Amino acid sequence: MRPEGKEMERENLKYRTYIKILERELVPAMGCTEPIAIAFCAATARKTLGARPTAIRVEASGNIIKNVKSVIVPNTGGKHGIEAAAAAGALYGDAEAGLQVFAHAAPEEIEGLDAYMQETEICVANIDFGYVLDIIVTVSDGVHTAKARTALEHTNLVRIEKDGAVLFEKPIVEETDPNMPDYELLNVRDILDFAKSCDLEDVLPVLKRQIAYNVKISDEGLNNPYGSNIGKTLMQVYGDENVRIRAKARAAAGSDARMNGCDLPVVINSGSGNQGMTVSLPVYEYAMALQAPEEAMWRALLVSNLVTLHEKEGIGRLSAYCGAVSAGAGAGAGIAWLKTGGDVQAVEQTIVNALAITSGIVCDGAKASCAAKIATAVDAGILGFEMYRNGRSFRGGDGLVAENVEHTISNISRLGREGMKGTDKEIIDIMISR
C-alpha cells in the first residue's frame, strides 16, 4: 500500500471512530446517571430473580455512594439516595431500558414505593475492589436470591447470578470490549478538522436529539422551582439581555431540574447528564444570539462534545475532579468555534485558559449545587475565549498550563485521575461518616 493510501486509511478509521464515539456517548438518560445505574442493576437482579424482592443489598464503590447520596431520583415521588434508587429499580424498573430504567414507570407503581420501602429490608455497603464505578445489587424473596453487577460504566453488566449459579460473566477490563472505539484517536486538531469537514448527515441524529432533549429540560428548570434555582436566579439578578448570562443560566437550569427530581430525559456526555447539558446548551444559546446558520451550530456542537470527551478520557468517568470543568471548557471551545469561524488557535487557547481558571473545583457528589458549578465552569469557558480575543492568555509554565493544548489537557488528566485520589477518599469519608 502506498504511503498516501495508508494515510487515507488512518483518516477513514479516525472518521468512523469519531462517529462511533458520538453515537456511543450522546445517549438519553433520565435522572442523575449514578442512581439510575443502581436502579438498573436492581431491576436486572429482580428480573433474574423472577419475583418481587423482600430484601435488597446494595454494595457500591465510594464514588457511586458520593454521587447518589443527596440527589433526588426521578419517578420516585421526590425521594433521594441509594435506598430509593434501589427500591424503585427493584419494584418497577425496566431492566431493558438502560439509563432510562424509569421511563415507563406507571403512577400507581410510583405511589406504591413508600409502602414497598417500609416492608423491604434494604442495606447499603461501601466496597472497594479497585474500580471507581462498581455496583453489586443482591435481591431475595426469602427463598431464592439473584445478583447483578455493573462496573467501569453505568450499564456495563459484568456478572449475573441466581442462587449462586453464574448466568453471565465477562472480565472487568475495558479494553476487552470489541465494540469499544479507540478514544486515544481524539486530539484537538483532529477534532477541529472533523468538525469542519464531516458529512453532517452522519452526526445530525445524535446532535438534534441532544438539543431537543436538553433545551426541553432547561426550559423546565427556568420556568419552575427546582432545587436552589441557580438558572432562574442568574436571570432574575442579571437580566436576560446578555448572552453570557443566558448561556450560564440555561445550562444551570437544566441541572436545577435534573438534580432535583425532574423526570425529563437528557442527552449525556462522558456518562453525565450535567456534562451533556453543559457542553450543548451554552453553544445553542450563542448560536441563537448570533443568528448563526444551523450548520455552524451543529459543527460547533461537534467541537464542544468531542473536546469534552477528549478531556474526560484521561480523567475517567468519576473522580474528585468536577466534570463540569471539562464540559465548561468544551462549551468555551464550541463558542470560540462559532464566533471565529473555526479558528484553530482561538479554540486551543480557549480550552487552555478555561482549564487554568477552574481546575480546582472538586466533585462532592450530585446535588443542587452542581448547577452553580456548571454556571461557573461555563463562565470560565466564555472568559477563556474573551481573554484570547483580547490578546490575553495564560502561557506554558503558568501552573498546570503547558506549552500546548494537548500537554495542558494531559496535565489536567493527571491531576484528576492521580493527583486527586486522596482528595476523593477524604470527600467520600466525610460524606459517608456524616
Side-chain angles (χ1 to χ4, degrees), residues 115-366:
Y116 179 66
M117 291 184 70
Q118 290 174 12
E119 67 191 30
T120 304
E121 178 187 346
I122 306 173
C123 61
V124 178
N126 181 204
I127 56 172
D128 184 4
F129 295 118
Y131 308 112
V132 173
L133 196 163
D134 198 0
I135 304 166
I136 304 170
V137 177
T138 305
V139 298
S140 172
D141 63 357
V143 178
H144 300 284
T145 62
K147 181 183 293 188
R149 182 180 187 183
T150 62
L152 301 181
E153 297 195 25
H154 296 83
T155 56
N156 180 40
L157 288 166
V158 296
R159 189 179 178 95
I160 301 174
E161 299 179 18
K162 185 172 183 180
D163 293 331
V166 178
L167 305 181
F168 169 80
E169 186 173 26
K170 70 177 183 180
I172 309 178
V173 182
E174 207 166 0
E175 290 77 9
T176 61
D177 184 352
N179 296 314
M180 179 77 75
D182 185 359
Y183 285 70
E184 291 187 4
L185 291 177
L186 291 170
N187 64 79
V188 175
R189 287 294 175 101
D190 286 341
I191 288 170
L192 300 183
D193 286 343
F194 175 81
K196 184 176 181 179
S197 62
C198 83
D199 184 345
L200 284 179
E201 293 303 314
D202 291 334
V203 295
L204 276 179
V206 292
L207 295 178
K208 284 185 174 181
R209 181 174 62 186
Q210 183 181 52
I211 291 301
Y213 281 32
N214 294 358
V215 167
K216 188 173 183 179
I217 195 171
S218 176
D219 287 341
E220 175 72 12
L222 285 171
N223 294 323
N224 297 285
Y226 284 98
S228 298
N229 283 130
I230 301 301
K232 291 180 74 173
T233 299
L234 284 166
M235 297 286 262
Q236 288 168 355
V237 174
Y238 300 107
D240 62 0
E241 294 185 3
N242 188 322
V243 64
R244 183 171 184 169
I245 300 301
R246 296 199 304 273
K248 295 192 294 181
R250 185 168 277 288
S255 180
D256 286 325
R258 182 173 172 271
M259 292 290 96
N260 293 281
C262 180
D263 61 5
L264 290 173
V266 303
V267 169
I268 66 176
N269 180 296
S270 305
S272 163
N274 278 344
Q275 290 171 61
M277 291 184 291
T278 304
V279 302
S280 58
L281 292 169
V283 175
Y284 167 81
E285 197 63 44
Y286 266 82
M288 296 301 101
L290 295 169
Q291 298 183 323
E294 273 201 12
E295 178 178 343
M297 180 180 75
W298 301 129
R299 295 191 185 280
L301 284 166
L302 289 176
V303 173
S304 62
N305 276 289
L306 287 170
V307 164
T308 299
L309 288 163
H310 177 36
E311 296 172 274
K312 283 291 291 182
E313 174 61 14
I315 296 171
R317 289 292 200 222
L318 299 175
S319 167
Y321 187 89
C322 177
V325 173
S326 301
I335 291 166
W337 171 276
L338 264 179
K339 297 200 74 171
T340 65
D343 182 87
V344 173
Q345 187 176 358
V347 174
E348 290 184 339
Q349 196 61 55
T350 295
I351 296 168
V352 170
N353 290 343
L355 292 176
I357 295 167
T358 50
S359 57
I361 299 178
V362 299
C363 173
D364 55 343

Side-chain angles (χ1 to χ4, degrees), residues 7-153:
E7 185 63 30
M8 185 176 295
E9 182 180 336
R10 283 195 295 271
E11 290 306 311
N12 288 339
L13 171 62
K14 192 169 291 182
Y15 186 94
R16 294 193 304 272
T17 299
Y18 283 17
I19 298 292
K20 193 171 183 179
I21 288 172
L22 289 165
E23 292 173 343
R24 184 175 185 271
E25 294 281 357
L26 273 57
V27 296
M30 177 188 290
C32 178
T33 45
E34 279 70 59
I36 293 301
I38 287 177
F40 167 77
C41 212
T44 302
R46 184 216 58 219
K47 180 183 177 183
T48 305
L49 183 68
R52 176 167 160 155
T54 56
I56 304 170
R57 177 176 174 82
V58 180
E59 300 168 275
S61 57
N63 273 271
I64 292 293
I65 292 174
K66 176 181 74 173
N67 270 16
V68 182
K69 189 174 184 294
S70 302
V71 71
I72 294 177
V73 185
N75 280 352
T76 63
K79 294 177 177 58
H80 71 273
I82 297 170
E83 292 84 354
L91 183 61
Y92 49 78
D94 181 356
E96 305 301 318
L99 291 174
Q100 299 195 78
V101 62
F102 293 140
H104 307 116
E108 60 271 19
E109 291 177 316
I110 299 170
E111 290 172 5
L113 182 59
D114 271 329
Y116 179 66
M117 291 184 70
Q118 290 174 12
E119 67 191 30
T120 304
E121 178 187 346
I122 306 173
C123 61
V124 178
N126 181 204
I127 56 172
D128 184 4
F129 295 118
Y131 308 112
V132 173
L133 196 163
D134 198 0
I135 304 166
I136 304 170
V137 177
T138 305
V139 298
S140 172
D141 63 357
V143 178
H144 300 284
T145 62
K147 181 183 293 188
R149 182 180 187 183
T150 62
L152 301 181
E153 297 195 25

